[in-house]
Amino acid sequence: MTAQPVSSPSLWPAAHTQDARRPRSLQRQLGASDTVCERRAAYILSGAERTDTSDKRAAILGTYLHEGLLGSARTEYGWLVETSVADDTIRGHVDAVHLDAPTAARLPKRLRPTTPAQVTTVEDVKTKSTFLWDKVVRYGATAAEIRQVYLYADLLRTVGWVDKYGQKPLARLGPIDVRRIRFRFVNRDNGAEHVQEFDFDRAEATRARWWVQRVMEYESPEEASRSFDGPGLDAICDNCPFRTPCWGEPKTPGAAVQTVLVHNDADREAALAEYVRGHEMENEGKRIKARVRKKLDDSPAGIYGLNQLAWTGGNAVQEVDREAMIDVFDVLGVPVPEKTGADFERMETVMKEAGIAIPMRNAAKKTPRAIRVTAVPK
Ligand code: SF4
């Protein structure tokens, strides 16, 4: 890697410093976006110090992209973006709210959307990498993402917008009759969009509220369950500012932090049973995939129901055409280098040095052919 010249410092220290100043990074109150892990939410509510840092470059790029997209939607479509909602227990910023015509008509003209929504809709915009894209298209929002958006929607339905500078006309509307939820996923590598939409469900909103209530009732964060498997296994933990207090230090230096979960032989017995269960599931999964792979061996690529079949590889492998190489030497009147027979390695070297193209041909073998199954983009 080339060293960074002193006259051209990396941009990342500046980006990290600015990111640390964002209200989100400083807040001690529970934000709807903090409801991803029960224990993490409990740490925030307890006012615990954030002890751990992590490389936030990908997250910062995601934030820039998010701000850029929402800023464009506000300018071009008149969307209400990044507005604040809160009550006594929770607060957050709603990515976008699309008001229906009667509600929009109660706002000053400058705040009205270009096109009102059929029903008032809360929209959450998530940027995702290509690595996660198939999962996004196949399964949509995660349970934590759904909980987060329901908290926003329920705050709007019960309280409305926060009465603060910059959104006073919104606050004057009071509670908003949110009827629909929309997730808009944007692939941060290629810009693809995927939209998931459903009606607001009161039961789901109640479940999200209960989740927060339960976290608030813990007397100490350690009573809250860990929603993830820990550093090295879940990216959420790798980037969690509370990973040291959450997992502590392993008794054996250098061992995985998850060793803190094993205290005695009974724990080891349970862990081994879990390992065997995982092994059996893995074997069964491999068996199913191998059987299906053979069944589909001559099926053409295409869309079949919810899945898209594609093939990679199976291409001709190129190899040096030795007979043609001897012909080239003959035509040029150059003696063929010999060892026990023609020295083909030496011939290649001579031709490269002379700038003559080495004749190639398709070999009998082909590159390995691999199956690729992805969700059909909706
Ligand atoms: S380290 Fe993982 S499990 Fe622990 S609080 Fe953070 S996100 Fe939750």
Side-chain angles (χ1 to χ4, degrees):
M1 207 167 74
T2 322
Q4 198 76 37
V6 180
S7 57
S8 172
S10 166
L11 292 172
W12 288 112
H16 276 90
T17 305
Q18 203 178 35
D19 184 72
R21 280 204 294 266
R22 284 177 187 276
R24 195 179 299 120
S25 305
L26 294 173
Q27 75 188 33
R28 292 288 177 269
Q29 197 181 348
L30 191 63
S33 57
D34 296 318
T35 58
V36 64
C37 167
E38 220 186 57
R39 188 174 284 202
R40 181 150 100 182
Y43 278 121
I44 293 168
L45 278 173
S46 73
E49 200 185 330
R50 290 161 193 250
T51 49
D52 299 270
T53 53
S54 49
D55 182 347
K56 296 177 103 182
R57 284 179 294 184
I60 291 172
L61 287 176
T63 304
Y64 291 165
L65 195 56
H66 197 258
E67 284 177 354
L69 290 169
L70 289 179
S72 304
R74 176 178 46 217
T75 309
E76 300 303 318
Y77 303 153
W79 283 16
L80 289 170
V81 303
E82 291 276 35
T83 50
S84 303
V85 286
D87 67 4
D88 299 340
T89 57
I90 195 144
R91 53 186 277 178
H93 289 95
V94 196
D95 280 351
V97 182
H98 307 284
L99 296 176
D100 61 12
T103 315
R106 292 165 55 207
L107 281 174
K109 227 173 178 179
R110 66 185 165 81
L111 288 176
R112 288 183 207 157
T114 315
T115 315
Q118 278 191 329
V119 291
T120 296
T121 303
V122 163
E123 175 164 337
D124 205 18
V125 177
K126 302 271 182 220
T127 62
K128 300 276 178 181
S129 66
T130 298
F131 177 63
L132 289 172
W133 197 247
D134 189 63
K135 212 168 158 193
V136 164
V137 174
R138 208 175 277 283
Y139 305 114
T142 63
E145 288 166 343
I146 289 175
R147 178 164 56 241
Q148 180 187 343
V149 81
Y150 265 103
L151 289 170
Y152 295 141
D154 203 49
L155 284 167
L156 273 172
R157 283 173 65 96
T158 51
V159 182
W161 274 285
V162 170
D163 187 2
K164 68 168 201 179
Y165 178 75
Q167 58 175 51
K168 287 197 174 287
L170 298 176
R172 279 196 285 275
L173 294 176
I176 302 296
D177 184 20
V178 177
R179 295 284 185 87
R180 220 159 156 70
I181 303 281
R182 178 184 302 147
F183 281 98
R184 185 184 301 269
F185 298 98
V186 179
N187 185 316
R188 65 174 74 138
D189 302 313
N190 61 23
E193 271 184 86
H194 171 67
V195 172
Q196 178 190 9
E197 236 183 278
F198 44 86
D199 288 339
F200 179 90
D201 176 356
R202 277 171 192 271
E204 200 64 56
T206 305
R207 261 195 290 280
R209 291 290 198 156
W210 279 347
W211 192 96
V212 174
Q213 200 55 43
R214 190 174 61 234
V215 174
M216 292 178 73
E217 283 166 9
Y218 292 126
E219 287 186 5
S220 87
E222 282 69 32
E223 286 176 30
S225 63
R226 298 178 178 101
S227 306
F228 297 94
D229 289 331
L233 296 176
D234 273 306
I236 302 266
C237 296
D238 289 335
N239 296 303
C240 177
F242 303 107
R243 58 185 185 274
T244 300
C246 176
W247 290 92
E249 293 294 337
K251 271 185 246 141
T252 310
V257 290
Q258 287 80 357
T259 51
V260 302
L261 300 173
V262 173
H263 305 286
N264 48 40
D265 283 353
D267 289 342
R268 285 181 195 99
E269 185 182 331
L272 287 173
E274 199 184 352
Y275 187 90
V276 170
R277 189 172 65 88
H279 182 70
E280 284 166 358
M281 287 164 70
E282 190 181 19
N283 280 347
E284 175 65 0
K286 277 187 184 160
R287 210 171 57 78
I288 293 171
K289 282 171 71 178
R291 186 177 67 227
V292 173
R293 168 69 183 80
K294 293 231 179 272
K295 275 163 75 172
L296 293 173
D297 203 30
D298 64 354
S299 291
I303 290 174
Y304 302 94
L306 299 174
N307 295 301
Q308 185 161 7
L309 169 67
W311 298 100
T312 60
N315 302 318
V317 173
Q318 289 269 295
E319 66 177 9
V320 173
D321 186 339
R322 292 182 163 184
E323 287 77 31
M325 201 152 60
I326 290 174
D327 288 348
V328 172
F329 273 69
D330 283 348
V331 168
L332 294 173
V334 178
V336 170
E338 294 198 6
K339 266 195 205 160
T340 46
D343 183 349
F344 292 107
E345 272 180 33
R346 178 78 192 126
M347 289 171 80
E348 275 188 58
T349 309
V350 169
M351 290 178 79
K352 274 184 199 157
E353 283 171 1
I356 299 168
I358 296 169
M360 306 293 286
R361 66 177 179 195
N362 289 341
K365 63 178 179 184
K366 296 198 166 179
T367 57
R369 190 161 171 263
I371 190 168
R372 190 166 136 73
V373 183
T374 50
V376 176
K378 288 170 192 153

